[in-house]
Amino acid sequence: MIRVTAVQPESIAEELGLEVGTELLSVNGRELEDFLDWEFLTADEAFLLHVRQPGGDEIEFDIERPLGEPMGVSLEPARIRRCANRCDFCFVDGLPNGLRDVLYIRDDDYRLSFRYGNFATLTNLKPKDVQRIIENRLSPLYVSVHATDPTIRRYLLRNPTAPAILPQLRRFAEHGIRFHTQVVMSPGVNDGPVLEQTLGELYHFGPAVLGCSVVPVGLTEYSKHHLVREPTAEECRGAVRLVEARAETAIRERGVHWAFGADELYLRAGIELPPADIYDGFDQVENGVGSVRWLQRQIEHGAGALPGWAGRRIGVVTGTAMGQLMPMVLEPLGRATGASFELLPLVNTLFGASVTTAGLLPGRDLQAALAGRRDLDLALLPGEAVNDDGLFMDGMRVDLLAASVPMELRLSKDFIDALHQPVAA
Ligand code: SF4
């Protein structure tokens, strides 16, 4: 059963009389467990929908609709699949006390991997999950491999019962499932020869593995520093060399780059970012792989159609990592719009200075940086720093932040998305 949380006006759902609180029980006699069931079972033009209305009445609807027309309901979030691992570098262990309860849940969910590209380790799959992935062709999946050597992988995951990843992937691949993979590089454990082996085995696995990214492990002030450490510049350079060697082979043999280093890996290595065309389809851009080149490309394509900004002053809030790379993104944006962009790279006071990503900035840091800035017409905030409920990591609401600073605020993913309408004069 899945509960309806919103009904879009003038939708099929509204016409049927579905309302907030309606329970969606089954489609064509198959019980509904979560959003994936809903999406798969209602994909046809015609189906039987069995619901229970908030008052307790059960109704069956015989639905026929034009293919592709959405039903128009929002569903309650799926119950999160808990993680079976205890990685030393787990972000949850790196959280300070006192944040929202939901942030302390370790999730590892193949459904979110399929739907949103979240990385999953596949170590908590039950037989019925395996069957569902195969039956519903949940592909591609985003998989945290870390190491193909089972012993090293179990060590990294702190999970002695984690199944060997290659046979697990093989079983899915035989049914047409494909994978984007990642290695979170923990120095002294899965870098060097272990990384070389992992990249080699995933590459030779065959075309079901679409690519592999290498991301340096990221720790906060609260992480278990006695068990894990961040890589040095030389260790990152070593990883870049392995990635680029593998990509060179892949481009020669398969015509794709296949192996990618995260922007952060290049940054820490002190090596210039590679050009945009090495990222194939930017499949792992949400994982920080090719983000800067992707932004530049978005701006190149979209900045010509942004009139009305000449002479405006725009603050761009980001973390300290992107602070080093952002000038090369903002310079062409300034030229195209005539606005003057000021970069505001903020040190994260919630997690500590070592956490440099914009998505983890707390609202209080933005407030402190923007409160006295009457000279700015607009501030662009990293869209990924705010969740669907409009909350920053520290629980501050974005609307309350907006009420406490003197300029207009806009959340943005690629700048272009927030600049279609100029700010009021
Ligand atoms: S897989 Fe590891 S890093 Fe991810 S949630 Fe589980 S323990 Fe944390």
Side-chain angles (χ1 to χ4, degrees), residues 83-93 105-108 119 121 123 144 146 156-157:
C83 176
N85 314 310
R86 302 289 295 182
C87 309
D88 293 339
F89 53 79
C90 184
F91 179 71
V92 172
D93 290 333
I105 298 173
R106 293 169 208 261
D107 65 310
D108 193 11
F119 277 89
T121 65
T123 52
S144 285
H146 303 329
L156 277 160
L157 298 175

Side-chain angles (χ1 to χ4, degrees), residues 282-303:
F282 285 100
D283 290 314
Q284 293 204 29
V285 70
E286 302 284 347
N287 197 24
V289 180
S291 317
V292 170
R293 298 304 187 203
W294 180 82
L295 271 176
Q296 286 177 311
R297 196 172 263 193
Q298 294 295 102
I299 289 166
E300 213 174 280
H301 292 151

